[in-house]
Amino acid sequence: MTITAARAGARAWLGLSVLALATLLLAVDNTVLVLALPHLAADLGPSATELLWITDVYGFMIAGFMITMGWLGDRIGRRKLLLIGAVVFGAVSALAAYSTSTTMLIAARVLLGVAGAAMGPSALALVTGLFTEARQRAMAIGVFTACFMGGAAAGPVIAGSLLETFWWGSVFLMGVPIMVLVVAGGLILLPETAPEGSGRLDLASVALSLATILPVVHGLKELANDPAQTMAYAVLAAGLVSGVAFVRRQRRLAEPLMDTGLFADRSFRAALLILALSMVIQGGVYLFVSQHLQLVEGLSPMAAGLWMAVPALGLVGGSLAAPVIAGAFRPGTVVGVGLVAAAAGFAVVVAGDGLLTLVAGVTVAFLGMAPVGALGLDLIVGSAPRERAGSASALAESGGELGIALGVALLGSVGTAVYGSRVTLPQAGSSLNEALDAAAGLPPGPAAALVAEARAAFAQGLFVVAAISAVLALGLAVVSLTLLRHLRPIGQDGRH
C-alpha cells in the first residue's frame, strides 16, 4: 500500500521564509567584507596576515564545524540548534560591528563561523521536515538554494550601499535585526524534530574532522595564491591523512559523527559528486570573472559586484525553475541538459570578446548549473533516512564548501600558469596585480605596454579556465545522465 505524504500548508511556507532568511544572511556574511575591508583596515590597522584571517576565518569555521553540527542537530533537535545558532550569530554580529581591535574582530568572525555552521545544516534539514511531499520539498529546496546563491552575490552590493552612509561595522550590524526575526519566526513557525539517538559526542571524531577540513581548505587557498608553496602541500597532505583516519574511525563507531552508510546509496553518491565538482567550476570561474571585471575592464568593486549580480540572477532563476521542470522530466536529465547548456555558456566566454559577451556567457553557464544545486540537494537529503537529515545536509554543504575551495586553488593555479607563460616583460611578475603595481612606477609609454600585455595574458588565463570548465561540465552531464537516469520525475517515483 502506498502512503501519500501530506501536502504542506501556508504555515510551512511561512516557516520556509524564516529558514530562507537565515540562509540569505549566512551567504551575505561570506562576501559582504569585499568592499568593507579598506574601511576597517584604515580604522583597525591590521597586518596583511590579520586581514586574511578576518576575510577567511568565517568560511573556515563554517566548513570545519559543519559535520559536527549536523550530528548535533540530529541529536538535540534541529530547531533548537538553529535558534541557538541564530542567537549567538546576532549577538556576535554586534560584537563584530563594534570591534575595537583586530584581535576582537577575528575572534568575532570565528564565533560567527561556528554559529553559521550550527544554522546551515539545521535549516536545510528542517526543510525536509516541513515538506514531506516530494514536489513541494523539491520546490522548497529550490527556494532555499536560490536564497543562498542570491545572498552570496548580494553581499558586495549590500556592503556598498551601507558604506555610502554608515561605517564599516554596519555590514555586521545588519545581522542583528535579521536574527531577531529568525528567532521570533522560528519559535512560532518551525516544528521541533525529535532527537535521534542518545550517543555521546565523540570528541576525537570532532578533532579529526577539524584536522581534516581546516588544513585542506587552508592548503587549497594558499596554493591558489602561490602554487609553488611547499608548506601548503604539506598542510594539505596532513589534512588528507587526518581525513583517512576520520573515515576509519566513523566505520568503527556505533553512533558515528558522520554516517558513512549514506554513501551506500547510488543516488546520494552521484548527487554529492556532481554538486561538489560543480562548485569547483563555480568557485574558479567566479574568482577569475570578478578579477577580470576589476583588473582588466577597470570597473570599481561596486560596479563589478553589480555586473556579477546578473549571473547570480541566472542561478536564482534556475534554482526556482529546476524543481518545476523536474516534475515533468527525470531529474538526471534536467541536471544533465543544464550542464550541457553550462558548457555552451563557457564556450561563449572562450570564443567571445568584450564585457557583454563575457557576462552573457557566464550567465548562461550559471543558469545551466543551477539545477545541480536545487535538485542535487533534494536528492542528497531525500536519499537519506529522515533521522539522518542533519548529517546528510552537513555532508552536502561541506562538499560545496570544499568544492569552492578546490576550484579557487586548481583553476586559480591554471590561470596563473597561463599568465606566466604569456607575459614576456620582466616587470609583469606572476600576477596581473603585480604588473599593475609595477606599471604605476613606470613612464607612460612602458607602463601602457606592460598593462596591455599583462591584461591580455590574464584574459587568456580566463579563457583557458572557461574551456576547462566547459569540459568538466560535459563530463558531469554524462555522469548525471547515466548514474541518475533511474530516477523518475519528482512526485512520480514513489519517494516522499
Side-chain angles (χ1 to χ4, degrees), residues 232-249:
Y233 288 101
V235 170
L236 184 59
L240 294 176
V241 170
S242 296
V244 172
F246 173 75
V247 172
R248 287 181 174 176
R249 185 172 182 84

PDB file of all heavy atoms in Angstrom, residues 232-249:
ATOM      1  N   ALA A 232      52.213  24.653   1.825  1.00  0.00           N
ATOM      2  CA  ALA A 232      50.791  24.456   1.522  1.00  0.00           C
ATOM      3  C   ALA A 232      50.512  23.000   1.158  1.00  0.00           C
ATOM      4  O   ALA A 232      49.496  22.419   1.559  1.00  0.00           O
ATOM      5  CB  ALA A 232      50.358  25.381   0.387  1.00  0.00           C
ATOM      6  N   TYR A 233      51.424  22.379   0.410  1.00  0.00           N
ATOM      7  CA  TYR A 233      51.256  20.963   0.064  1.00  0.00           C
ATOM      8  C   TYR A 233      51.353  20.088   1.312  1.00  0.00           C
ATOM      9  O   TYR A 233      50.635  19.091   1.447  1.00  0.00           O
ATOM     10  CB  TYR A 233      52.307  20.538  -0.968  1.00  0.00           C
ATOM     11  CG  TYR A 233      52.065  21.089  -2.341  1.00  0.00           C
ATOM     12  CD1 TYR A 233      52.781  22.179  -2.815  1.00  0.00           C
ATOM     13  CD2 TYR A 233      51.098  20.523  -3.176  1.00  0.00           C
ATOM     14  CE1 TYR A 233      52.565  22.705  -4.085  1.00  0.00           C
ATOM     15  CE2 TYR A 233      50.869  21.035  -4.448  1.00  0.00           C
ATOM     16  CZ  TYR A 233      51.597  22.124  -4.897  1.00  0.00           C
ATOM     17  OH  TYR A 233      51.360  22.628  -6.144  1.00  0.00           O
ATOM     18  N   ALA A 234      52.258  20.460   2.217  1.00  0.00           N
ATOM     19  CA  ALA A 234      52.407  19.692   3.455  1.00  0.00           C
ATOM     20  C   ALA A 234      51.142  19.791   4.304  1.00  0.00           C
ATOM     21  O   ALA A 234      50.675  18.794   4.872  1.00  0.00           O
ATOM     22  CB  ALA A 234      53.622  20.197   4.237  1.00  0.00           C
ATOM     23  N   VAL A 235      50.579  20.992   4.397  1.00  0.00           N
ATOM     24  CA  VAL A 235      49.343  21.192   5.163  1.00  0.00           C
ATOM     25  C   VAL A 235      48.202  20.398   4.528  1.00  0.00           C
ATOM     26  O   VAL A 235      47.410  19.737   5.223  1.00  0.00           O
ATOM     27  CB  VAL A 235      48.993  22.694   5.228  1.00  0.00           C
ATOM     28  CG1 VAL A 235      47.594  22.901   5.795  1.00  0.00           C
ATOM     29  CG2 VAL A 235      50.020  23.433   6.071  1.00  0.00           C
ATOM     30  N   LEU A 236      48.111  20.441   3.211  1.00  0.00           N
ATOM     31  CA  LEU A 236      47.067  19.704   2.500  1.00  0.00           C
ATOM     32  C   LEU A 236      47.205  18.200   2.731  1.00  0.00           C
ATOM     33  O   LEU A 236      46.222  17.498   2.990  1.00  0.00           O
ATOM     34  CB  LEU A 236      47.146  20.023   1.010  1.00  0.00           C
ATOM     35  CG  LEU A 236      46.072  19.431   0.099  1.00  0.00           C
ATOM     36  CD1 LEU A 236      44.691  19.891   0.520  1.00  0.00           C
ATOM     37  CD2 LEU A 236      46.338  19.819  -1.353  1.00  0.00           C
ATOM     38  N   ALA A 237      48.441  17.699   2.675  1.00  0.00           N
ATOM     39  CA  ALA A 237      48.679  16.271   2.893  1.00  0.00           C
ATOM     40  C   ALA A 237      48.300  15.869   4.315  1.00  0.00           C
ATOM     41  O   ALA A 237      47.706  14.799   4.537  1.00  0.00           O
ATOM     42  CB  ALA A 237      50.149  15.943   2.623  1.00  0.00           C
ATOM     43  N   ALA A 238      48.623  16.726   5.292  1.00  0.00           N
ATOM     44  CA  ALA A 238      48.263  16.431   6.677  1.00  0.00           C
ATOM     45  C   ALA A 238      46.752  16.345   6.826  1.00  0.00           C
ATOM     46  O   ALA A 238      46.229  15.481   7.542  1.00  0.00           O
ATOM     47  CB  ALA A 238      48.835  17.507   7.600  1.00  0.00           C
ATOM     48  N   GLY A 239      46.023  17.225   6.148  1.00  0.00           N
ATOM     49  CA  GLY A 239      44.566  17.185   6.204  1.00  0.00           C
ATOM     50  C   GLY A 239      44.007  15.907   5.601  1.00  0.00           C
ATOM     51  O   GLY A 239      43.071  15.311   6.149  1.00  0.00           O
ATOM     52  N   LEU A 240      44.588  15.471   4.492  1.00  0.00           N
ATOM     53  CA  LEU A 240      44.113  14.243   3.855  1.00  0.00           C
ATOM     54  C   LEU A 240      44.391  13.014   4.722  1.00  0.00           C
ATOM     55  O   LEU A 240      43.571  12.094   4.797  1.00  0.00           O
ATOM     56  CB  LEU A 240      44.782  14.078   2.480  1.00  0.00           C
ATOM     57  CG  LEU A 240      44.401  15.147   1.436  1.00  0.00           C
ATOM     58  CD1 LEU A 240      45.201  14.942   0.157  1.00  0.00           C
ATOM     59  CD2 LEU A 240      42.908  15.111   1.152  1.00  0.00           C
ATOM     60  N   VAL A 241      45.544  12.991   5.392  1.00  0.00           N
ATOM     61  CA  VAL A 241      45.851  11.885   6.309  1.00  0.00           C
ATOM     62  C   VAL A 241      44.838  11.859   7.458  1.00  0.00           C
ATOM     63  O   VAL A 241      44.331  10.792   7.837  1.00  0.00           O
ATOM     64  CB  VAL A 241      47.292  12.024   6.861  1.00  0.00           C
ATOM     65  CG1 VAL A 241      47.526  11.033   7.994  1.00  0.00           C
ATOM     66  CG2 VAL A 241      48.301  11.792   5.748  1.00  0.00           C
ATOM     67  N   SER A 242      44.525  13.017   8.001  1.00  0.00           N
ATOM     68  CA  SER A 242      43.518  13.089   9.057  1.00  0.00           C
ATOM     69  C   SER A 242      42.160  12.627   8.539  1.00  0.00           C
ATOM     70  O   SER A 242      41.385  11.996   9.277  1.00  0.00           O
ATOM     71  CB  SER A 242      43.399  14.523   9.590  1.00  0.00           C
ATOM     72  OG  SER A 242      44.603  14.939  10.196  1.00  0.00           O
ATOM     73  N   GLY A 243      41.867  12.933   7.266  1.00  0.00           N
ATOM     74  CA  GLY A 243      40.608  12.505   6.676  1.00  0.00           C
ATOM     75  C   GLY A 243      40.474  11.005   6.617  1.00  0.00           C
ATOM     76  O   GLY A 243      39.402  10.444   6.884  1.00  0.00           O
ATOM     77  N   VAL A 244      41.561  10.332   6.254  1.00  0.00           N
ATOM     78  CA  VAL A 244      41.548   8.867   6.228  1.00  0.00           C
ATOM     79  C   VAL A 244      41.301   8.307   7.626  1.00  0.00           C
ATOM     80  O   VAL A 244      40.490   7.395   7.822  1.00  0.00           O
ATOM     81  CB  VAL A 244      42.882   8.332   5.657  1.00  0.00           C
ATOM     82  CG1 VAL A 244      42.952   6.815   5.799  1.00  0.00           C
ATOM     83  CG2 VAL A 244      43.026   8.735   4.191  1.00  0.00           C
ATOM     84  N   ALA A 245      41.975   8.890   8.613  1.00  0.00           N
ATOM     85  CA  ALA A 245      41.786   8.444   9.996  1.00  0.00           C
ATOM     86  C   ALA A 245      40.356   8.713  10.464  1.00  0.00           C
ATOM     87  O   ALA A 245      39.754   7.899  11.177  1.00  0.00           O
ATOM     88  CB  ALA A 245      42.790   9.152  10.905  1.00  0.00           C
ATOM     89  N   PHE A 246      39.794   9.835  10.051  1.00  0.00           N
ATOM     90  CA  PHE A 246      38.427  10.177  10.431  1.00  0.00           C
ATOM     91  C   PHE A 246      37.430   9.152   9.886  1.00  0.00           C
ATOM     92  O   PHE A 246      36.570   8.657  10.613  1.00  0.00           O
ATOM     93  CB  PHE A 246      38.092  11.576   9.911  1.00  0.00           C
ATOM     94  CG  PHE A 246      36.656  11.978  10.094  1.00  0.00           C
ATOM     95  CD1 PHE A 246      36.182  12.338  11.343  1.00  0.00           C
ATOM     96  CD2 PHE A 246      35.777  11.994   9.015  1.00  0.00           C
ATOM     97  CE1 PHE A 246      34.855  12.724  11.522  1.00  0.00           C
ATOM     98  CE2 PHE A 246      34.458  12.366   9.180  1.00  0.00           C
ATOM     99  CZ  PHE A 246      33.992  12.724  10.438  1.00  0.00           C
ATOM    100  N   VAL A 247      37.556   8.835   8.605  1.00  0.00           N
ATOM    101  CA  VAL A 247      36.625   7.877   7.980  1.00  0.00           C
ATOM    102  C   VAL A 247      36.749   6.512   8.639  1.00  0.00           C
ATOM    103  O   VAL A 247      35.744   5.843   8.913  1.00  0.00           O
ATOM    104  CB  VAL A 247      36.892   7.790   6.471  1.00  0.00           C
ATOM    105  CG1 VAL A 247      36.078   6.657   5.846  1.00  0.00           C
ATOM    106  CG2 VAL A 247      36.545   9.114   5.792  1.00  0.00           C
ATOM    107  N   ARG A 248      37.963   6.069   8.905  1.00  0.00           N
ATOM    108  CA  ARG A 248      38.158   4.763   9.551  1.00  0.00           C
ATOM    109  C   ARG A 248      37.519   4.735  10.928  1.00  0.00           C
ATOM    110  O   ARG A 248      36.904   3.732  11.316  1.00  0.00           O
ATOM    111  CB  ARG A 248      39.658   4.458   9.649  1.00  0.00           C
ATOM    112  CG  ARG A 248      40.313   4.096   8.313  1.00  0.00           C
ATOM    113  CD  ARG A 248      41.788   3.785   8.494  1.00  0.00           C
ATOM    114  NE  ARG A 248      42.385   3.301   7.254  1.00  0.00           N
ATOM    115  CZ  ARG A 248      43.670   3.020   7.099  1.00  0.00           C
ATOM    116  NH1 ARG A 248      44.504   3.175   8.137  1.00  0.00           N
ATOM    117  NH2 ARG A 248      44.124   2.602   5.941  1.00  0.00           N
ATOM    118  N   ARG A 249      37.632   5.821  11.653  1.00  0.00           N
ATOM    119  CA  ARG A 249      37.037   5.868  12.985  1.00  0.00           C
ATOM    120  C   ARG A 249      35.513   5.828  12.902  1.00  0.00           C
ATOM    121  O   ARG A 249      34.849   5.183  13.714  1.00  0.00           O
ATOM    122  CB  ARG A 249      37.497   7.132  13.723  1.00  0.00           C
ATOM    123  CG  ARG A 249      37.005   7.190  15.168  1.00  0.00           C
ATOM    124  CD  ARG A 249      37.622   8.337  15.943  1.00  0.00           C
ATOM    125  NE  ARG A 249      37.161   8.336  17.322  1.00  0.00           N
ATOM    126  CZ  ARG A 249      37.682   7.609  18.299  1.00  0.00           C
ATOM    127  NH1 ARG A 249      38.718   6.805  18.039  1.00  0.00           N
ATOM    128  NH2 ARG A 249      37.200   7.644  19.524  1.00  0.00           N
TER     129      ARG A 249
END
